[in-house]
mmCIF file of all heavy atoms in Angstrom:
data_model
loop_
_atom_site.group_PDB
_atom_site.id
_atom_site.type_symbol
_atom_site.label_atom_id
_atom_site.label_comp_id
_atom_site.label_asym_id
_atom_site.label_seq_id
_atom_site.Cartn_x
_atom_site.Cartn_y
_atom_site.Cartn_z
ATOM 1 N N LYS A 11 60.057 -19.233 -18.890
ATOM 2 C CA LYS A 11 61.481 -19.048 -19.157
ATOM 3 C C LYS A 11 62.184 -18.764 -17.840
ATOM 4 O O LYS A 11 61.759 -17.884 -17.070
ATOM 5 C CB LYS A 11 61.694 -17.892 -20.123
ATOM 6 C CG LYS A 11 63.112 -17.744 -20.627
ATOM 7 C CD LYS A 11 63.446 -18.817 -21.628
ATOM 8 C CE LYS A 11 64.842 -18.599 -22.206
ATOM 9 N NZ LYS A 11 65.210 -19.640 -23.186
ATOM 10 N N ILE A 12 63.263 -19.519 -17.585
ATOM 11 C CA ILE A 12 64.086 -19.290 -16.403
ATOM 12 C C ILE A 12 65.484 -18.966 -16.891
ATOM 13 O O ILE A 12 66.074 -19.740 -17.647
ATOM 14 C CB ILE A 12 64.109 -20.531 -15.485
ATOM 15 C CG1 ILE A 12 62.694 -20.876 -15.040
ATOM 16 C CG2 ILE A 12 65.003 -20.276 -14.278
ATOM 17 C CD1 ILE A 12 62.603 -22.170 -14.252
ATOM 18 N N ILE A 13 66.005 -17.828 -16.459
ATOM 19 C CA ILE A 13 67.347 -17.427 -16.856
ATOM 20 C C ILE A 13 68.075 -16.867 -15.655
ATOM 21 O O ILE A 13 67.459 -16.492 -14.650
ATOM 22 C CB ILE A 13 67.329 -16.377 -17.984
ATOM 23 C CG1 ILE A 13 66.601 -15.107 -17.515
ATOM 24 C CG2 ILE A 13 66.683 -16.933 -19.236
ATOM 25 C CD1 ILE A 13 66.727 -13.943 -18.481
ATOM 26 N N GLU A 14 69.394 -16.802 -15.773
ATOM 27 C CA GLU A 14 70.195 -16.156 -14.732
ATOM 28 C C GLU A 14 70.280 -14.658 -15.031
ATOM 29 O O GLU A 14 70.203 -14.242 -16.194
ATOM 30 C CB GLU A 14 71.590 -16.778 -14.680
ATOM 31 C CG GLU A 14 71.580 -18.229 -14.245
ATOM 32 C CD GLU A 14 72.973 -18.813 -14.157
ATOM 33 O OE1 GLU A 14 73.913 -18.186 -14.671
ATOM 34 O OE2 GLU A 14 73.118 -19.907 -13.581
ATOM 35 N N LYS A 15 70.452 -13.882 -13.979
ATOM 36 C CA LYS A 15 70.564 -12.430 -14.173
ATOM 37 C C LYS A 15 71.744 -12.121 -15.085
ATOM 38 O O LYS A 15 72.717 -12.876 -15.155
ATOM 39 C CB LYS A 15 70.708 -11.712 -12.843
ATOM 40 C CG LYS A 15 71.929 -12.074 -12.046
ATOM 41 C CD LYS A 15 71.933 -11.322 -10.720
ATOM 42 C CE LYS A 15 73.173 -11.683 -9.912
ATOM 43 N NZ LYS A 15 73.196 -10.977 -8.605
ATOM 44 N N LYS A 16 71.589 -11.048 -15.809
ATOM 45 C CA LYS A 16 72.549 -10.543 -16.783
ATOM 46 C C LYS A 16 72.479 -11.275 -18.121
ATOM 47 O O LYS A 16 73.149 -10.854 -19.073
ATOM 48 C CB LYS A 16 73.988 -10.560 -16.254
ATOM 49 C CG LYS A 16 74.195 -9.736 -14.999
ATOM 50 C CD LYS A 16 75.653 -9.701 -14.583
ATOM 51 C CE LYS A 16 75.823 -8.881 -13.306
ATOM 52 N NZ LYS A 16 77.246 -8.821 -12.863
ATOM 53 N N GLN A 17 71.670 -12.316 -18.214
ATOM 54 C CA GLN A 17 71.490 -13.004 -19.492
ATOM 55 C C GLN A 17 70.425 -12.293 -20.322
ATOM 56 O O GLN A 17 69.547 -11.627 -19.786
ATOM 57 C CB GLN A 17 71.103 -14.463 -19.272
ATOM 58 C CG GLN A 17 72.186 -15.287 -18.607
ATOM 59 C CD GLN A 17 73.462 -15.299 -19.426
ATOM 60 O OE1 GLN A 17 73.460 -15.647 -20.618
ATOM 61 N NE2 GLN A 17 74.564 -14.921 -18.799
ATOM 62 N N PRO A 18 70.468 -12.460 -21.648
ATOM 63 C CA PRO A 18 69.413 -11.912 -22.494
ATOM 64 C C PRO A 18 68.244 -12.882 -22.598
ATOM 65 O O PRO A 18 68.401 -14.093 -22.383
ATOM 66 C CB PRO A 18 70.112 -11.762 -23.847
ATOM 67 C CG PRO A 18 71.120 -12.876 -23.850
ATOM 68 C CD PRO A 18 71.582 -13.021 -22.431
ATOM 69 N N VAL A 19 67.073 -12.337 -22.933
ATOM 70 C CA VAL A 19 65.888 -13.176 -23.132
ATOM 71 C C VAL A 19 64.985 -12.495 -24.157
ATOM 72 O O VAL A 19 64.984 -11.260 -24.273
ATOM 73 C CB VAL A 19 65.140 -13.396 -21.797
ATOM 74 C CG1 VAL A 19 64.582 -12.097 -21.251
ATOM 75 C CG2 VAL A 19 64.065 -14.455 -21.947
ATOM 76 N N ALA A 20 64.258 -13.308 -24.905
ATOM 77 C CA ALA A 20 63.343 -12.770 -25.917
ATOM 78 C C ALA A 20 62.016 -13.501 -25.854
ATOM 79 O O ALA A 20 61.964 -14.712 -25.619
ATOM 80 C CB ALA A 20 63.958 -12.899 -27.309
ATOM 81 N N PHE A 21 60.949 -12.731 -26.072
ATOM 82 C CA PHE A 21 59.598 -13.272 -26.089
ATOM 83 C C PHE A 21 58.978 -12.984 -27.456
ATOM 84 O O PHE A 21 59.195 -11.911 -28.017
ATOM 85 C CB PHE A 21 58.720 -12.622 -25.003
ATOM 86 C CG PHE A 21 59.376 -12.505 -23.665
ATOM 87 C CD1 PHE A 21 59.459 -11.281 -23.019
ATOM 88 C CD2 PHE A 21 59.918 -13.610 -23.037
ATOM 89 C CE1 PHE A 21 60.054 -11.164 -21.780
ATOM 90 C CE2 PHE A 21 60.516 -13.503 -21.796
ATOM 91 C CZ PHE A 21 60.584 -12.272 -21.176
ATOM 92 N N TRP A 22 58.183 -13.930 -27.920
ATOM 93 C CA TRP A 22 57.580 -13.796 -29.241
ATOM 94 C C TRP A 22 56.056 -13.767 -29.140
ATOM 95 O O TRP A 22 55.476 -14.440 -28.281
ATOM 96 C CB TRP A 22 58.034 -14.958 -30.123
ATOM 97 C CG TRP A 22 57.413 -14.999 -31.468
ATOM 98 C CD1 TRP A 22 57.761 -14.281 -32.575
ATOM 99 C CD2 TRP A 22 56.321 -15.823 -31.871
ATOM 100 N NE1 TRP A 22 56.954 -14.608 -33.640
ATOM 101 C CE2 TRP A 22 56.062 -15.553 -33.237
ATOM 102 C CE3 TRP A 22 55.530 -16.773 -31.224
ATOM 103 C CZ2 TRP A 22 55.061 -16.187 -33.946
ATOM 104 C CZ3 TRP A 22 54.534 -17.412 -31.918
ATOM 105 C CH2 TRP A 22 54.301 -17.113 -33.284
ATOM 106 N N CYS A 23 55.431 -13.007 -30.027
ATOM 107 C CA CYS A 23 53.977 -12.887 -30.026
ATOM 108 C C CYS A 23 53.448 -12.871 -31.456
ATOM 109 O O CYS A 23 53.969 -12.142 -32.309
ATOM 110 C CB CYS A 23 53.544 -11.614 -29.314
ATOM 111 S SG CYS A 23 51.772 -11.253 -29.438
ATOM 112 N N ASN A 24 52.401 -13.636 -31.680
ATOM 113 C CA ASN A 24 51.686 -13.594 -32.958
ATOM 114 C C ASN A 24 50.249 -13.183 -32.677
ATOM 115 O O ASN A 24 49.523 -13.915 -32.004
ATOM 116 C CB ASN A 24 51.727 -14.965 -33.638
ATOM 117 C CG ASN A 24 50.996 -14.962 -34.980
ATOM 118 O OD1 ASN A 24 49.951 -15.559 -35.139
ATOM 119 N ND2 ASN A 24 51.554 -14.251 -35.932
ATOM 120 N N PRO A 25 49.823 -12.017 -33.137
ATOM 121 C CA PRO A 25 48.480 -11.524 -32.793
ATOM 122 C C PRO A 25 47.390 -12.224 -33.596
ATOM 123 O O PRO A 25 47.670 -13.018 -34.495
ATOM 124 C CB PRO A 25 48.565 -10.044 -33.179
ATOM 125 C CG PRO A 25 49.521 -10.034 -34.330
ATOM 126 C CD PRO A 25 50.542 -11.102 -34.009
ATOM 127 N N ILE A 26 46.163 -11.911 -33.264
ATOM 128 C CA ILE A 26 45.025 -12.413 -34.024
ATOM 129 C C ILE A 26 45.095 -11.862 -35.444
ATOM 130 O O ILE A 26 45.416 -10.673 -35.643
ATOM 131 C CB ILE A 26 43.708 -12.024 -33.336
ATOM 132 C CG1 ILE A 26 43.583 -12.775 -32.009
ATOM 133 C CG2 ILE A 26 42.507 -12.302 -34.227
ATOM 134 C CD1 ILE A 26 42.399 -12.358 -31.163
ATOM 135 N N SER A 27 44.815 -12.709 -36.400
ATOM 136 C CA SER A 27 44.888 -12.312 -37.804
ATOM 137 C C SER A 27 44.016 -11.092 -38.078
ATOM 138 O O SER A 27 42.844 -11.038 -37.693
ATOM 139 C CB SER A 27 44.431 -13.470 -38.690
ATOM 140 O OG SER A 27 44.448 -13.103 -40.052
ATOM 141 N N GLY A 28 44.606 -10.100 -38.715
ATOM 142 C CA GLY A 28 43.869 -8.887 -39.058
ATOM 143 C C GLY A 28 43.942 -7.793 -38.011
ATOM 144 O O GLY A 28 43.497 -6.677 -38.255
ATOM 145 N N HIS A 29 44.480 -8.112 -36.843
ATOM 146 C CA HIS A 29 44.611 -7.097 -35.794
ATOM 147 C C HIS A 29 45.881 -6.290 -36.027
ATOM 148 O O HIS A 29 46.982 -6.805 -35.900
ATOM 149 C CB HIS A 29 44.647 -7.758 -34.414
ATOM 150 C CG HIS A 29 43.321 -8.189 -33.924
ATOM 151 N ND1 HIS A 29 43.086 -8.550 -32.600
ATOM 152 C CD2 HIS A 29 42.123 -8.287 -34.551
ATOM 153 C CE1 HIS A 29 41.808 -8.865 -32.461
ATOM 154 N NE2 HIS A 29 41.204 -8.720 -33.623
ATOM 155 N N ASN A 30 45.702 -5.011 -36.306
ATOM 156 C CA ASN A 30 46.859 -4.174 -36.593
ATOM 157 C C ASN A 30 47.504 -3.597 -35.330
ATOM 158 O O ASN A 30 48.651 -3.167 -35.373
ATOM 159 C CB ASN A 30 46.455 -3.015 -37.516
ATOM 160 C CG ASN A 30 46.023 -3.511 -38.881
ATOM 161 O OD1 ASN A 30 46.517 -4.524 -39.365
ATOM 162 N ND2 ASN A 30 45.101 -2.801 -39.499
ATOM 163 N N THR A 31 46.759 -3.572 -34.241
ATOM 164 C CA THR A 31 47.278 -2.995 -33.009
ATOM 165 C C THR A 31 47.766 -4.103 -32.087
ATOM 166 O O THR A 31 47.044 -5.074 -31.830
ATOM 167 C CB THR A 31 46.194 -2.177 -32.286
ATOM 168 O OG1 THR A 31 45.623 -1.246 -33.201
ATOM 169 C CG2 THR A 31 46.797 -1.418 -31.119
ATOM 170 N N LEU A 32 48.994 -3.958 -31.615
ATOM 171 C CA LEU A 32 49.611 -4.974 -30.750
ATOM 172 C C LEU A 32 50.183 -4.292 -29.520
ATOM 173 O O LEU A 32 50.745 -3.194 -29.602
ATOM 174 C CB LEU A 32 50.711 -5.718 -31.523
ATOM 175 C CG LEU A 32 51.414 -6.867 -30.810
ATOM 176 C CD1 LEU A 32 51.778 -7.966 -31.809
ATOM 177 C CD2 LEU A 32 52.649 -6.392 -30.061
ATOM 178 N N TYR A 33 50.023 -4.952 -28.383
ATOM 179 C CA TYR A 33 50.466 -4.404 -27.105
ATOM 180 C C TYR A 33 51.350 -5.429 -26.387
ATOM 181 O O TYR A 33 51.097 -6.631 -26.444
ATOM 182 C CB TYR A 33 49.267 -4.131 -26.186
ATOM 183 C CG TYR A 33 48.129 -3.354 -26.787
ATOM 184 C CD1 TYR A 33 47.206 -3.975 -27.623
ATOM 185 C CD2 TYR A 33 47.938 -2.022 -26.476
ATOM 186 C CE1 TYR A 33 46.129 -3.286 -28.148
ATOM 187 C CE2 TYR A 33 46.860 -1.316 -26.993
ATOM 188 C CZ TYR A 33 45.967 -1.957 -27.832
ATOM 189 O OH TYR A 33 44.903 -1.263 -28.346
ATOM 190 N N TRP A 34 52.328 -4.922 -25.667
ATOM 191 C CA TRP A 34 53.069 -5.724 -24.696
ATOM 192 C C TRP A 34 52.811 -5.143 -23.305
ATOM 193 O O TRP A 34 52.930 -3.924 -23.100
ATOM 194 C CB TRP A 34 54.568 -5.692 -24.979
ATOM 195 C CG TRP A 34 55.024 -6.568 -26.102
ATOM 196 C CD1 TRP A 34 55.357 -6.192 -27.375
ATOM 197 C CD2 TRP A 34 55.227 -7.982 -26.056
ATOM 198 N NE1 TRP A 34 55.743 -7.277 -28.114
ATOM 199 C CE2 TRP A 34 55.680 -8.401 -27.330
ATOM 200 C CE3 TRP A 34 55.084 -8.958 -25.061
ATOM 201 C CZ2 TRP A 34 55.980 -9.727 -27.641
ATOM 202 C CZ3 TRP A 34 55.377 -10.275 -25.365
ATOM 203 C CH2 TRP A 34 55.821 -10.647 -26.641
ATOM 204 N N TYR A 35 52.460 -6.046 -22.390
ATOM 205 C CA TYR A 35 52.204 -5.650 -21.008
ATOM 206 C C TYR A 35 53.124 -6.427 -20.081
ATOM 207 O O TYR A 35 53.533 -7.558 -20.343
ATOM 208 C CB TYR A 35 50.763 -5.983 -20.601
ATOM 209 C CG TYR A 35 49.698 -5.079 -21.154
ATOM 210 C CD1 TYR A 35 49.097 -5.357 -22.384
ATOM 211 C CD2 TYR A 35 49.266 -3.970 -20.437
ATOM 212 C CE1 TYR A 35 48.085 -4.535 -22.881
ATOM 213 C CE2 TYR A 35 48.247 -3.154 -20.927
ATOM 214 C CZ TYR A 35 47.669 -3.444 -22.148
ATOM 215 O OH TYR A 35 46.670 -2.634 -22.625
#
Side-chain angles (χ1 to χ4, degrees):
Chain A
K11 189 74 176 180
I12 301 174
I13 61 171
E14 294 182 346
K15 62 182 180 181
K16 301 184 181 180
Q17 295 301 306
V19 65
F21 315 126
W22 176 81
C23 172
N24 180 249
I26 292 173
S27 178
H29 283 194
N30 295 328
T31 308
L32 183 146
Y33 310 79
W34 282 103
Y35 285 89

